[in-house]
Amino acid sequence: MDAVVTAAEPEWVGLFAGLNERQFRKLVVLVRRRGGGKPTGGRPWALPLEDRILLVAAYWRTNLTMRQLGPLFGISKSAADRVIDHIAPLLALAPVRRRHPSDTVLIVDGTLVPTRDRSVAASSKNYRYSTNHQVVIDANTRLVVAAGRPLPGNRHDARAYRESGVDRAVKNAPVLGDGGYRGTPALIPHWPRKDRPLTPEQQADNAVHRRARARVEHAFSRMKTYKILRDCRLRGDGVHQAILGVARLHNLALAG
């Protein structure tokens, strides 16, 4: 079976991974450093490492089935499934282990990913079974700093912030959140009361807060160009690996 898509042709890399040649080479080096190029002890891979990485990116970008994806790379659907199981964890965004610089400001928000595995999803406000993903970005660079473990989509953001583990990635930096993060350390907008309307200064503060928080919505918009985050068929840890991998591609495309 002849392959139609290959990483040797840069246009496929740009289409599916959203990266230029230099960025894709950096991604290949990262995966190789994490052990992606080593033999697994089973059947030898039919594709070189570069094509295997591109296959995973193409899967996340298009959300094709294995039966559709395999022939594009000249392999069977079971071989495509093996590639995704092996490479996807190696593309995951690594957790933050260092303190942030003193001038860092972070933004946190949750996004719902429609997920067919009902053992990890729940009926949500988007009227679909979904998972709640807490994502933290750097307000200055707009890079994703962390993505928490998926929780049922009906979980409130304030609770999900703690339970997903994303709060540990914040470290020493101030973090902005919307009104759904009341009761957490996040800085939220001023809240009006019946007997205490907002002052002009508080309204101005809220406007600045909204403009800053819009950056995390822009990040979600870019990440959801990968259709896997619009209808995830993966089971178990698959949806978590997908959002971590898409976050890695998003950061690499922004930072170069």
Side-chain angles (χ1 to χ4, degrees), residues 138-184:
D138 186 308
N140 295 319
T141 64
R142 307 185 186 219
L143 301 179
V144 176
V145 174
R149 294 200 62 80
L151 295 167
N154 57 3
R155 197 66 51 88
H156 192 276
D157 278 341
R159 182 178 171 188
Y161 178 73
R162 295 185 294 267
E163 294 183 359
S164 68
V166 79
D167 57 334
R168 293 190 291 273
V170 171
K171 304 286 186 183
N172 57 308
V175 57
L176 304 181
D178 60 23
Y181 291 89
R182 297 178 77 181
T184 72

Side-chain angles (χ1 to χ4, degrees), residues 25-69:
R25 285 197 299 271
K26 290 176 67 174
L27 186 63
V28 173
V29 169
L30 170 72
V31 174
R32 184 170 283 118
R33 191 186 308 131
R34 291 182 169 184
K38 296 179 181 177
T40 58
R43 295 177 60 186
W45 298 108
L47 297 175
L49 179 60
E50 292 80 359
D51 283 359
R52 281 180 275 147
I53 294 171
L54 183 60
L55 184 148
V56 176
Y59 173 58
W60 289 338
R61 175 75 83 177
T62 64
N63 206 17
L64 294 174
T65 65
M66 298 302 105
R67 192 180 298 276
Q68 295 167 320
L69 189 65

Side-chain angles (χ1 to χ4, degrees), residues 59-63 111-115 126 128 130-131 133 135 219-234 238-247 250:
Y59 173 58
W60 289 338
R61 175 75 83 177
T62 64
N63 206 17
T111 187
L112 294 175
V113 174
T115 306
N126 61 352
R128 300 178 68 179
S130 302
T131 44
H133 296 261
V135 176
F220 288 153
S221 178
R222 286 190 292 268
M223 290 171 68
K224 288 193 174 182
T225 60
Y226 291 84
K227 294 183 180 179
I228 192 71
L229 301 184
R230 297 185 183 186
D231 180 22
C232 185
R233 298 187 300 271
L234 296 168
V239 66
H240 187 44
Q241 292 176 359
I243 200 162
L244 289 175
V246 169
H250 166 271

Side-chain angles (χ1 to χ4, degrees), residues 77-140:
K77 63 183 183 69
S78 58
D81 195 43
R82 285 178 57 230
V83 168
I84 291 170
D85 286 345
H86 181 241
I87 295 295
L90 304 179
L91 292 173
L93 185 72
V96 176
R97 302 190 185 280
R98 56 176 175 77
R99 290 174 66 85
H100 299 288
S102 58
D103 60 344
T104 300
V105 176
L106 304 177
I107 309 171
V108 64
D109 203 359
T111 187
L112 294 175
V113 174
T115 306
R116 300 196 190 186
D117 183 359
R118 296 195 177 187
S119 67
V120 296
S123 184
S124 312
K125 63 183 180 183
N126 61 352
Y127 305 105
R128 300 178 68 179
Y129 273 79
S130 302
T131 44
N132 180 324
H133 296 261
Q134 297 292 303
V135 176
V136 177
I137 72 163
D138 186 308
N140 295 319

